[in-house]
Amino acid sequence: MAQVLVVTSGKGGVGKTTSTAALGAALAHDGAKVVVIDFDVGLRNLDLVLGAERRVVFDLINVINGVAKLPQALIRDKRLETLHLLPASQTRDKDALTEDGVAKVIEELRTKFDWIICDSPAGIERGATLAMRYADAAIIVTNPEVSSVRDSDRIIGLLDSKTAKAERGERVDKHVLITRYHSSRAARGEMLSINDVLEILSTPLLGIIPESQEVLRASNVGSPVTLNNPQSAAARAYFDAARRLKGEQVPMLVFSENRSIFNKLFSRKAA
Amino acid sequence: MSSLVRQRHSLMFRPRSYMAFAITPQPPIVDWLSELDASLQRSEGFFAGQHVALDLSAVNLSSSAIGQLVANLEERNIRVLGIEGVDPAKWQLGLPPVLRGGRGLRTSEPSLLIAPVPPTLAARPVPQEQQPASLMVEEPVRSGQSVIFIEGDVTVLGSVGSGAEIVAGGSIHVYGALRGRALAGATGNARARIFCLRVEAELLAINSYYRTADDIDDSLRCRPAQAWLEGDTLQISAMN
């Protein structure tokens, strides 16, 4: 049974595209068939983060307009053969997306893949609402700071009212993914704590991704962090989040750059 | 046979009462209309879908002037259900019907408060006979959502997010943190109150008297609190 996920946030720059790529690769790593769709028509990025930018021929808008067939537009990852990308068009804008067109594409993808991950653009306009429209579950990417949290709250409200599932009276499963978390800054009160964020959003937590140089390094070489450096703190946090998506019970750890928090506590005690 | 029975049934007339806003134009009408425009600017949609009765007791208008006033109101999306306080002789075909026997509803003064109300998630169930005038919201109210319930009290089981808004004709009860705006007594009820388990509100208002977050004492922040109106000051006190 295919699962359609939307990775969304409201606010820009919080790590939606990075998280889409990292989670997509983590899920595909175990052999699941995964497609990631870039909904950021006009400002596409996912192709760069996946290192597929030189192989884009057709895109989502071409498929919606009937210019290309879906298999022609799908780009298979060179490293993971079960990971696919459906890129966005860079030359069009979000008005080129139509509700019926998106519905058709998602329906067709459902028959071919286990996971369909929609990378939403920032904002709450057409691109973002269509990215979430047919989702079964949503990952709300949030940074531990007030503006990001308020935007996430707004998005959760939209997920509960504007999605096809909500309109049928069902609920979209919602998960909060906290990114760019810095435990020492949170401890000093320079960031919201995990509890503050969860209390405000009253939505279950999928994972805590630490702020990490590895994420930037991976983006620059066009590789999801979970492929580029699977041992890094951020990659391990994404792998754990992917396991939780599959329904596994995984204890929530806060990874830091080199060692897990338990190592850190241990070293402090030893000192 | 059955159609006959149904026919008879439909011929029974039952009296039924409805709630309506009465608006009372003051002379001079031109000034009154521009004041109305100023209020409406702050609150598009406040009258949308509301029943409005036009109380003409304060003015003396000819029947053509009444027609003109009704048309002016319609241009502003205020649809007049009926007219009261007018000599029935002045009524003519094409005007809304003349109403009699209207009673005020526990409010001593007309509503001044016009809230900015984006009409999202407007919860406005049709009041049914003998239903208590209260609305229960069983989930958190998220940023950007408005819950508007002019008919009575609103109870929220959960938090009201920053950037969310509750507008109630009666009191507002929030069993969670109140981080958005709460506007109680929005139809002019000075006895309405606001209760919450944690006050971090952006704005509290009762019957058009308000306080913004800046004016809420820091010692109250994040505590259970209630707000009420004493004369024309909004009072807030902790409940523990």
Side-chain angles (χ1 to χ4, degrees):
Chain A
M1 181 66 185
Q3 271 274 326
V4 180
L5 297 177
V6 58
V7 178
T8 184
S9 70
K11 194 171 183 298
V14 294
K16 287 181 293 297
T17 302
T18 307
S19 298
T20 305
L23 287 172
L27 288 165
H29 198 262
D30 302 340
K33 287 161 95 183
V34 179
V35 58
V36 291
I37 312 176
D38 194 343
F39 270 84
D40 206 345
V41 179
L43 291 167
R44 75 174 182 217
N45 280 154
L46 191 54
D47 54 332
L48 290 169
V49 176
L50 285 170
E53 74 279 10
R54 294 153 68 121
R55 294 192 288 142
V56 176
V57 183
F58 295 113
D59 55 49
L60 175 61
I61 301 298
N62 294 146
V63 178
I64 286 177
N65 292 343
V67 174
K69 293 234 164 61
L70 188 56
Q72 293 177 295
L74 289 172
I75 302 170
R76 177 191 285 185
D77 189 84
K78 282 186 170 164
R79 296 146 294 202
L80 282 172
E81 62 172 25
T82 54
L83 179 62
H84 293 74
L85 165 69
L86 181 53
S89 167
Q90 181 72 354
T91 51
R92 306 292 295 275
D93 61 40
K94 284 156 186 96
D95 295 334
L97 288 169
T98 63
E99 198 173 318
D100 292 346
V102 173
K104 257 191 176 150
V105 171
I106 301 263
E107 267 327 296
E108 195 175 342
L109 290 170
R110 272 184 197 272
T111 62
K112 298 188 162 112
F113 290 94
D114 303 316
W115 297 92
I116 298 148
I117 309 180
C118 306
D119 181 21
S120 169
I124 52 175
E125 282 77 36
R126 193 173 182 82
T129 47
L130 283 177
M132 69 169 69
R133 183 79 193 147
Y134 301 99
D136 300 314
I139 297 168
I140 300 116
V141 181
T142 305
N143 290 166
E145 45 108 11
V146 282
S147 56
S148 174
V149 172
R150 180 158 82 179
D151 290 0
S152 294
D153 196 43
R154 177 89 164 97
I155 283 289
I156 294 172
L158 294 178
L159 285 163
D160 284 337
S161 59
K162 292 276 163 68
T163 52
K165 240 183 154 181
E167 283 172 9
R168 289 197 301 267
E170 298 166 38
R171 287 193 87 90
V172 172
D173 284 330
K174 295 176 292 288
H175 313 273
V176 171
L177 184 68
I178 297 179
T179 55
R180 314 195 69 169
Y181 182 72
H182 213 291
S183 32
S184 55
R185 288 187 58 199
R188 287 197 300 270
E190 294 166 12
M191 271 185 170
L192 291 178
S193 73
I194 301 289
N195 281 341
D196 288 343
V197 175
L198 296 182
E199 207 265 321
I200 294 173
L201 296 179
S202 49
T203 301
L205 181 64
L206 181 69
I208 303 162
I209 314 297
E211 172 86 64
S212 160
Q213 284 299 315
E214 281 305 314
V215 173
L216 195 62
R217 201 167 296 152
S219 296
N220 284 332
V221 299
S223 170
V225 68
T226 39
L227 283 183
N228 196 50
N229 185 354
Q231 289 312 308
S232 64
R236 287 157 71 195
Y238 276 121
F239 273 115
D240 277 6
R243 287 169 63 196
R244 289 187 196 103
L245 275 178
K246 288 190 283 187
E248 289 178 39
Q249 294 287 331
V250 184
M252 192 67 69
L253 298 180
V254 180
F255 295 99
S256 65
E257 197 59 76
N258 295 314
R259 31 191 140 170
S260 81
I261 193 149
F262 288 128
N263 291 338
K264 213 162 128 192
L265 288 173
F266 185 73
S267 63
R268 200 176 294 160
K269 245 181 232 163
Chain B
M1 180 70 190
S2 67
S3 70
L4 191 68
V5 173
R6 208 170 296 143
Q7 226 175 21
R8 267 196 201 145
H9 202 76
S10 71
L11 271 175
M12 297 210 312
F13 295 103
R14 292 207 185 91
R16 195 172 279 186
S17 63
Y18 295 90
M19 216 171 20
F21 282 127
I23 52 177
T24 314
Q26 305 289 334
I29 292 287
V30 180
D31 292 355
W32 180 81
L33 277 173
S34 58
E35 261 175 58
L36 180 70
D37 281 335
S39 311
L40 283 175
Q41 229 168 23
R42 280 180 279 139
S43 72
E44 272 173 77
F46 185 75
F47 285 107
Q50 299 287 358
H51 309 294
V52 173
L54 188 59
D55 180 358
L56 293 178
S57 51
V59 287
N60 187 12
L61 299 176
S62 68
S63 48
S64 65
I66 296 173
Q68 182 63 41
L69 179 59
V70 170
N72 283 337
L73 290 172
E74 244 164 50
E75 275 168 22
R76 291 163 176 79
N77 279 327
I78 301 172
R79 305 221 34 215
V80 177
L81 177 81
I83 306 176
E84 70 173 320
V86 69
D87 180 1
K90 281 191 187 161
W91 188 86
Q92 63 179 32
L93 207 67
L95 286 179
V98 175
L99 299 172
R100 271 179 297 265
R103 270 175 303 164
L105 199 73
R106 275 192 294 157
T107 55
S108 49
E109 48 201 318
S111 163
L112 282 176
L113 178 126
I114 302 241
V117 199
T120 48
L121 199 103
R124 212 193 294 269
V126 180
Q128 298 199 336
E129 282 176 273
Q130 289 172 345
Q131 279 237 331
S134 70
L135 175 73
M136 183 80 78
V137 181
E138 296 190 35
E139 46 207 26
V141 182
R142 305 286 182 178
S143 182
Q145 295 179 328
S146 302
V147 174
I148 303 158
F149 187 69
I150 294 303
E151 291 84 351
D153 294 4
V154 174
T155 307
V156 181
L157 305 179
S159 296
V160 177
S162 159
E165 180 175 64
I166 312 283
V167 181
S171 297
I172 296 173
H173 308 258
V174 179
Y175 291 92
L178 172 53
R179 301 191 176 92
R181 298 161 152 246
L183 300 99
T187 45
N189 179 1
R191 295 182 58 223
R193 291 191 181 206
I194 300 169
F195 304 87
C196 63
L197 288 190
R198 206 177 139 100
V199 57
E200 296 172 56
E202 293 164 343
L203 180 136
L204 297 175
I206 296 171
N207 183 22
S208 86
Y209 296 96
Y210 67 89
R211 266 179 205 251
T212 58
D214 258 6
D215 309 323
I216 298 173
D217 202 289
D218 277 343
S219 64
L220 293 169
R221 292 248 127 203
C222 303
R223 293 173 69 183
Q226 68 159 322
W228 72 99
L229 210 53
E230 218 169 81
D232 52 8
T233 21
L234 186 77
Q235 303 282 354
I236 306 169
S237 79
M239 289 196 297
N240 66 347

